[in-house]
Amino acid sequence: MIGVVYLVYAGLLSAVLPVHNARHSPITQQDMAKYRDRVKSMFYHAYNNYLDNAFPYDELRPLTCDGQDTWGSFSLTLIDALDTLLIIGNTTEFQRVVNVLQDTVDFDIDVNASVFETNIRVVGGLLSAHLLSKRAGIELEPGWPCSGPLLRMAEDAARKLLPAFDTPTGMPFGTVNLLKGVNPTETPVTCTAGVGTYIIEFATLSRLTGNPEFERVARHALKGLWESRSEIGLVGNHIDVMTSKWVAQDAGIGAGIDSYFEYLVKGAILLQDEEMMSMFLDYNKAIQNYTKYDDWYVWVQMYKGTVSMPIFQSLEAFWPGLQSLIGDIGNGMRTFLNYYTVWKQFGGLPEFYNIPQGFTVDKREGYPLRPGKFLQSVVLYPITVDLH
Ligand SMILES: *[C@@H]1O[C@H](CO)[C@@H](O)[C@H](O)[C@H]1NC(C)=O
Ligand SMILES: *[C@@H]1O[C@H](CO)[C@@H](O)[C@H](O)[C@H]1NC(C)=O
Ligand SMILES: *[C@@H]1O[C@H](CO)[C@@H](O)[C@H](O)[C@H]1NC(C)=O
């Protein structure tokens, strides 16, 4: 229920906000079609060049125009591209790639993999493609959505991550060897996002496969973080998963923490879980109270609430969309506007932006094509502008 309530609330709010009267007229259907074609051709440019020059490696190196394994050795770009192929309507290519992946990808490999990245990209990518298959008109295996080749692959991959969660706190290690489990010398220090970004994929897996273990470990990890928050209601950046001691005590909404908050909200909506939403709303109160200045969000010491870095990070650009998901369109729009001024100042978002100085931070000027800012536009646009 709760997710539906919030979304309806978001819709109502947008109906009374003055942004409709903005001088910019909404994007026309013709414009939409033009942008859609442009996005498609950009996708095929990247996709075909990956296939021609980098497959079966994880990623294309665009300067040397060859391939390399980055996050594992599972043709990651193909897995990343699967659901996009469905969304842009290329079912024949999708079918071909599903067969290729089934024939070539093996998760029984001696690779030290990031638990977080393998979840959001491999498990998440396979699951979303699996679940989109029906709407895309793909021929389905009997028993779908509880059966199917992509679901089996997602479960295989996720099983390899489970040993990482076997800690005294239930919070996972950041890295696991897909063949041997956690390396004996592995560091017990994991970033907050690396602990709290599993519930969407793992609960989906549990409910589709009937194996409750995935959802159980993801919830246990969330509980570990919740119980480790400071007295003023904030979480830090890195935690020791053996002892629950905070190793990095900067609290904010960006790098190292970001998707923990995202998954609380989206997990609450997906699973209709009021407890998860109320965790987020409590964090949100502390974040608004201690880290927000003039609709910017800064970094603060998690126990004292004192400002440690007056910095906006490119990775924080997801936040306005998250605010809109809980119905707080006004806050979301004002912060979005701040971030948009940074975008306009540089023509892209630098990794770090010093807010009082109004400029980039030394050695953090780069823009590694992060999609967060665009995703927020996609979330906020239909809520705040009438589409004709
Ligand atoms: C689907 O993608 C493949 C590979 O890029 C391409 O050859 C084919 O023309 C595409 N089909 C459609 C319908 O766009
Ligand atoms: C994985 O990490 C362990 C511990 O650091 C190391 O000994 C091992 O060589 C690594 N394995 C691979 C395949 O990189
Ligand atoms: C907000 O911060 C003040 C201290 O600046 C504190 O006294 C108050 O309890 C905080 N409220 C919330 C909801 O965090």
Side-chain angles (χ1 to χ4, degrees), residues 67-207:
Q68 68 174 344
D69 281 336
T70 49
W71 295 105
S73 188
F74 16 67
S75 307
L76 187 55
T77 298
L78 268 196
I79 296 178
D80 276 339
L82 265 185
D83 54 358
T84 308
L85 284 171
L86 287 181
I87 289 165
I88 66 177
N90 195 332
T91 49
T92 47
E93 180 66 7
F94 174 83
Q95 290 284 18
R96 188 186 76 79
V97 174
V98 170
N99 293 333
V100 167
L101 290 174
Q102 270 185 279
D103 293 344
T104 59
V105 173
D106 181 2
F107 296 114
D108 262 321
I109 45 175
D110 181 16
V111 161
N112 298 327
S114 157
V115 183
F116 167 85
E117 293 284 344
T118 308
N119 178 53
I120 63 166
R121 295 176 67 168
V122 178
V123 181
L126 292 166
L127 279 177
S128 60
H130 169 74
L131 287 169
L132 279 170
S133 297
K134 182 171 189 178
R135 242 194 291 178
I138 303 295
E139 200 180 317
L140 303 171
E141 209 176 272
W144 182 94
C146 298
S147 163
L150 296 176
L151 178 62
R152 282 189 291 278
M153 284 182 73
E155 189 180 1
D156 273 355
R159 263 185 212 292
K160 299 292 185 176
L161 307 181
L162 288 179
F165 291 80
D166 187 11
T167 64
T169 65
M171 296 190 276
F173 284 94
T175 304
V176 69
N177 185 291
L178 297 182
L179 195 62
K180 306 174 198 159
V182 177
N183 291 303
T185 56
E186 189 57 43
T187 172
V189 177
T190 307
C191 72
T192 302
V195 174
T197 309
Y198 302 95
I199 190 65
I200 293 177
E201 290 83 2
F202 278 25
T204 300
L205 256 186
S206 280
R207 291 169 189 220

Side-chain angles (χ1 to χ4, degrees), residues 25-38 381:
S25 49
I27 300 174
T28 62
Q29 291 299 330
Q30 286 100 308
D31 286 339
M32 284 282 192
K34 198 177 70 194
Y35 291 133
R36 197 178 295 133
D37 285 347
R38 205 163 142 210
Y381 185 80

Side-chain angles (χ1 to χ4, degrees), residues 40 236 296 305 317 347:
K40 271 195 197 178
W296 292 99

Side-chain angles (χ1 to χ4, degrees), residues 44 47-48 90 93:
Y44 281 117
Y47 180 78
N48 290 331
N90 195 332
E93 180 66 7

